Amino acid sequence: MSAALVAGLLAGYGIAIPVGAVATYLVVLTARTGLRIGAYAALGVATADGLYALVAVLGGSKLVPVIQPIAVPLRWVSVVVLLGLALHIGITGVRNFRDSAKAEVTQPVAIGPLKAYVSLLGITLLNPTTVVYFAALVLGSEDMASSTGAELVVFVIAAFVASASWQLLLAGGGAVLGKALTGRRGRLVTALASSALITVLGVRLLW
Protein backbone atom coordinates (compact mmCIF):
# COMPACT_ATOMS: atom_id res chain seq x y z
CA MET A 1 0.00 0.00 0.00
CA SER A 2 2.83 2.39 0.85
CA ALA A 3 4.44 1.72 -2.54
CA ALA A 4 1.22 2.73 -4.30
CA LEU A 5 1.04 5.87 -2.14
CA VAL A 6 4.60 6.90 -3.01
CA ALA A 7 4.07 6.07 -6.69
CA GLY A 8 0.91 8.16 -6.78
CA LEU A 9 2.57 11.13 -5.08
CA LEU A 10 5.53 11.03 -7.44
CA ALA A 11 3.24 10.71 -10.46
CA GLY A 12 1.10 13.63 -9.30
CA TYR A 13 4.04 15.92 -8.69
CA GLY A 14 5.66 14.79 -11.94
CA ILE A 15 2.77 16.03 -14.05
CA ALA A 16 1.95 19.08 -11.90
CA ILE A 17 5.31 20.73 -11.21
CA PRO A 18 6.29 21.79 -14.76
CA VAL A 19 4.89 25.33 -15.01
CA GLY A 20 2.96 25.72 -18.26
CA ALA A 21 0.13 27.86 -19.55
CA VAL A 22 -2.46 26.51 -17.10
CA ALA A 23 -0.22 27.14 -14.08
CA THR A 24 0.52 30.64 -15.37
CA TYR A 25 -3.17 31.39 -15.72
CA LEU A 26 -3.81 29.99 -12.23
CA VAL A 27 -1.26 32.38 -10.70
CA VAL A 28 -2.62 35.37 -12.65
CA LEU A 29 -6.23 34.50 -11.79
CA THR A 30 -5.39 34.26 -8.08
CA ALA A 31 -3.45 37.52 -8.20
CA ARG A 32 -6.52 39.27 -9.61
CA THR A 33 -9.32 37.59 -7.65
CA GLY A 34 -7.82 36.43 -4.37
CA LEU A 35 -6.79 33.18 -2.72
CA ARG A 36 -10.33 31.80 -2.29
CA ILE A 37 -11.06 31.84 -6.03
CA GLY A 38 -7.54 30.66 -6.77
CA ALA A 39 -7.96 27.68 -4.45
CA TYR A 40 -11.10 26.57 -6.30
CA ALA A 41 -9.28 26.97 -9.62
CA ALA A 42 -6.32 24.97 -8.25
CA LEU A 43 -8.64 22.15 -7.22
CA GLY A 44 -10.09 22.18 -10.74
CA VAL A 45 -6.63 21.47 -12.16
CA ALA A 46 -5.98 18.78 -9.57
CA THR A 47 -9.35 17.16 -10.27
CA ALA A 48 -8.45 16.85 -13.95
CA ASP A 49 -5.14 15.21 -13.02
CA GLY A 50 -6.93 12.85 -10.66
CA LEU A 51 -9.53 11.93 -13.29
CA TYR A 52 -6.84 11.20 -15.86
CA ALA A 53 -4.97 9.07 -13.33
CA LEU A 54 -8.21 7.14 -12.74
CA VAL A 55 -8.80 6.74 -16.47
CA ALA A 56 -5.24 5.46 -16.90
CA VAL A 57 -5.67 2.94 -14.09
CA LEU A 58 -9.00 1.69 -15.43
CA GLY A 59 -8.15 1.82 -19.12
CA GLY A 60 -4.66 0.38 -19.12
CA SER A 61 -3.35 -0.66 -22.53
CA LYS A 62 -6.60 0.35 -24.29
CA LEU A 63 -5.91 4.06 -23.76
CA VAL A 64 -3.01 4.73 -26.12
CA PRO A 65 -4.63 3.55 -29.39
CA VAL A 66 -7.81 5.47 -28.50
CA ILE A 67 -6.01 8.71 -27.72
CA GLN A 68 -3.52 8.73 -30.59
CA PRO A 69 -6.06 9.45 -33.40
CA ILE A 70 -7.54 12.42 -31.51
CA ALA A 71 -4.33 13.74 -29.97
CA VAL A 72 -3.74 16.24 -32.79
CA PRO A 73 -7.30 17.67 -32.79
CA LEU A 74 -7.19 17.95 -29.00
CA ARG A 75 -3.85 19.74 -29.24
CA TRP A 76 -5.33 22.23 -31.71
CA VAL A 77 -8.31 22.82 -29.41
CA SER A 78 -5.88 23.43 -26.56
CA VAL A 79 -3.96 25.93 -28.67
CA VAL A 80 -7.13 27.80 -29.65
CA VAL A 81 -8.35 27.93 -26.03
CA LEU A 82 -4.99 29.13 -24.73
CA LEU A 83 -4.59 31.78 -27.43
CA GLY A 84 -8.13 32.99 -26.76
CA LEU A 85 -7.31 33.12 -23.08
CA ALA A 86 -4.12 35.08 -23.74
CA LEU A 87 -5.98 37.55 -25.98
CA HIS A 88 -8.70 38.03 -23.37
CA ILE A 89 -6.17 38.68 -20.59
CA GLY A 90 -4.23 41.17 -22.73
CA ILE A 91 -7.31 43.11 -23.90
CA THR A 92 -8.82 43.17 -20.42
CA GLY A 93 -5.53 44.42 -18.96
CA VAL A 94 -5.29 47.28 -21.46
CA ARG A 95 -8.97 48.18 -21.05
CA ASN A 96 -8.72 48.26 -17.26
CA PHE A 97 -5.55 50.35 -17.48
CA ARG A 98 -7.35 52.92 -19.62
CA ASP A 99 -10.50 52.85 -17.51
CA SER A 100 -8.54 53.38 -14.30
CA ALA A 101 -7.39 56.75 -15.63
CA LYS A 102 -11.01 57.96 -15.83
CA ALA A 103 -13.15 59.31 -13.04
CA GLU A 104 -15.36 56.25 -13.08
CA VAL A 105 -13.53 52.96 -13.18
CA THR A 106 -15.30 49.97 -14.74
CA GLN A 107 -14.68 47.01 -12.52
CA PRO A 108 -13.80 43.72 -14.23
CA VAL A 109 -16.46 41.02 -14.24
CA ALA A 110 -16.11 38.92 -11.11
CA ILE A 111 -15.56 35.19 -11.39
CA GLY A 112 -17.19 32.91 -8.85
CA PRO A 113 -15.67 29.83 -7.18
CA LEU A 114 -17.68 27.36 -9.28
CA LYS A 115 -16.80 29.07 -12.56
CA ALA A 116 -13.12 29.16 -11.57
CA TYR A 117 -13.20 25.45 -10.71
CA VAL A 118 -15.00 24.39 -13.90
CA SER A 119 -12.91 26.65 -16.14
CA LEU A 120 -9.57 25.28 -14.94
CA LEU A 121 -10.95 21.72 -14.92
CA GLY A 122 -12.00 22.09 -18.56
CA ILE A 123 -8.75 23.68 -19.70
CA THR A 124 -6.68 20.96 -18.02
CA LEU A 125 -8.84 18.15 -19.43
CA LEU A 126 -8.06 19.40 -22.95
CA ASN A 127 -4.46 18.27 -22.54
CA PRO A 128 -4.13 14.67 -23.84
CA THR A 129 -0.52 14.53 -22.60
CA THR A 130 -1.74 14.06 -19.03
CA VAL A 131 -3.64 10.84 -19.64
CA VAL A 132 -0.85 9.46 -21.85
CA TYR A 133 1.59 10.27 -19.04
CA PHE A 134 -0.41 8.38 -16.43
CA ALA A 135 -1.12 5.49 -18.81
CA ALA A 136 2.60 5.12 -19.53
CA LEU A 137 3.36 5.06 -15.82
CA VAL A 138 0.72 2.43 -15.14
CA LEU A 139 1.67 0.24 -18.09
CA GLY A 140 5.41 0.57 -17.54
CA SER A 141 5.42 -0.34 -13.86
CA GLU A 142 5.54 -3.98 -12.83
CA ASP A 143 4.34 -3.02 -9.36
CA MET A 144 1.30 -1.22 -10.77
CA ALA A 145 0.51 -4.15 -13.04
CA SER A 146 0.25 -6.47 -10.04
CA SER A 147 -1.48 -3.99 -7.75
CA THR A 148 -4.75 -4.75 -6.01
CA GLY A 149 -7.86 -2.62 -6.46
CA ALA A 150 -7.23 -0.88 -3.13
CA GLU A 151 -3.67 -0.03 -4.11
CA LEU A 152 -4.86 1.46 -7.40
CA VAL A 153 -7.34 3.61 -5.50
CA VAL A 154 -4.51 4.80 -3.23
CA PHE A 155 -2.43 5.61 -6.32
CA VAL A 156 -5.19 7.77 -7.82
CA ILE A 157 -5.92 9.58 -4.56
CA ALA A 158 -2.21 10.20 -3.96
CA ALA A 159 -1.82 11.60 -7.48
CA PHE A 160 -4.75 13.97 -6.85
CA VAL A 161 -3.37 15.08 -3.45
CA ALA A 162 0.08 15.73 -4.91
CA SER A 163 -1.32 17.77 -7.78
CA ALA A 164 -3.68 19.66 -5.45
CA SER A 165 -0.89 20.57 -3.02
CA TRP A 166 1.26 21.95 -5.84
CA GLN A 167 -1.57 23.88 -7.48
CA LEU A 168 -2.57 25.38 -4.11
CA LEU A 169 1.06 26.40 -3.61
CA LEU A 170 0.94 28.20 -6.96
CA ALA A 171 -2.35 29.84 -5.97
CA GLY A 172 -0.75 31.00 -2.72
CA GLY A 173 2.06 32.56 -4.74
CA GLY A 174 -0.55 34.28 -6.88
CA ALA A 175 -2.23 35.70 -3.78
CA VAL A 176 1.07 37.16 -2.59
CA LEU A 177 1.73 38.50 -6.06
CA GLY A 178 -1.69 40.11 -6.06
CA LYS A 179 -0.88 42.08 -2.92
CA ALA A 180 2.40 43.29 -4.38
CA LEU A 181 1.01 44.30 -7.78
CA THR A 182 -2.26 46.06 -7.08
CA GLY A 183 -1.25 49.33 -8.71
CA ARG A 184 -2.53 50.54 -12.07
CA ARG A 185 0.72 49.91 -13.96
CA GLY A 186 1.41 46.69 -12.07
CA ARG A 187 -1.90 45.21 -13.23
CA LEU A 188 -1.14 46.21 -16.82
CA VAL A 189 2.36 44.70 -16.74
CA THR A 190 1.19 41.39 -15.26
CA ALA A 191 -1.69 41.16 -17.76
CA LEU A 192 0.55 41.74 -20.79
CA ALA A 193 3.32 39.49 -19.44
CA SER A 194 0.95 36.61 -18.72
CA SER A 195 -0.76 37.10 -22.09
CA ALA A 196 2.57 36.87 -23.89
CA LEU A 197 3.73 33.86 -21.89
CA ILE A 198 0.48 31.93 -22.38
CA THR A 199 0.67 32.70 -26.12
CA VAL A 200 4.20 31.28 -26.33
CA LEU A 201 3.28 28.20 -24.32
CA GLY A 202 0.17 27.64 -26.43
CA VAL A 203 2.05 27.91 -29.72
CA ARG A 204 4.72 25.50 -28.42
CA LEU A 205 2.07 22.78 -28.22
CA LEU A 206 2.22 22.63 -32.04
CA TRP A 207 5.94 21.76 -32.08
Side-chain angles (χ1 to χ4, degrees):
M1 195 71 72
S2 59
L5 175 63
V6 173
L9 290 174
L10 292 177
Y13 283 123
I15 195 64
I17 286 178
V19 176
V22 174
T24 301
Y25 179 56
L26 173 61
V27 172
V28 172
L29 178 65
T30 308
R32 291 176 175 276
T33 61
L35 182 57
R36 178 170 174 266
I37 299 299
Y40 276 91
L43 291 177
V45 178
T47 299
D49 288 343
L51 287 174
Y52 272 147
L54 178 62
V55 170
V57 165
L58 295 178
S61 59
K62 298 178 181 180
L63 283 173
V64 176
V66 172
I67 294 170
Q68 283 179 340
I70 61 172
V72 173
L74 278 178
R75 190 175 294 112
W76 273 103
V77 171
S78 297
V79 170
V80 170
V81 170
L82 290 172
L83 292 182
L85 191 61
L87 183 63
H88 173 72
I89 291 173
I91 291 176
T92 302
V94 173
R95 181 183 297 129
N96 289 341
F97 179 75
R98 291 176 177 174
D99 289 345
S100 64
K102 302 176 183 178
E104 296 182 1
V105 178
T106 302
Q107 295 296 328
V109 178
I111 180 173
L114 180 60
K115 185 176 181 181
Y117 175 85
V118 173
S119 296
L120 270 293
L121 171 63
I123 292 172
T124 309
L125 286 175
L126 285 172
N127 184 9
T129 304
T130 306
V131 69
V132 173
Y133 166 82
F134 280 116
L137 284 177
V138 172
L139 296 175
S141 172
E142 293 182 0
D143 292 335
M144 291 300 298
S146 59
S147 295
T148 64
E151 288 173 332
L152 293 177
V153 170
V154 169
F155 173 84
V156 172
I157 294 175
F160 167 79
V161 170
S163 178
S165 66
W166 180 255
Q167 306 305 336
L168 289 171
L169 179 64
L170 290 179
V176 173
L177 182 67
K179 295 178 181 179
L181 297 172
T182 55
R184 178 170 172 254
R185 293 187 182 277
R187 291 195 301 269
L188 176 63
V189 170
T190 54
L192 295 179
S194 64
S195 177
L197 180 56
I198 291 174
T199 298
V200 171
L201 293 170
V203 170
R204 283 188 61 188
L205 291 177
L206 299 176
W207 299 346

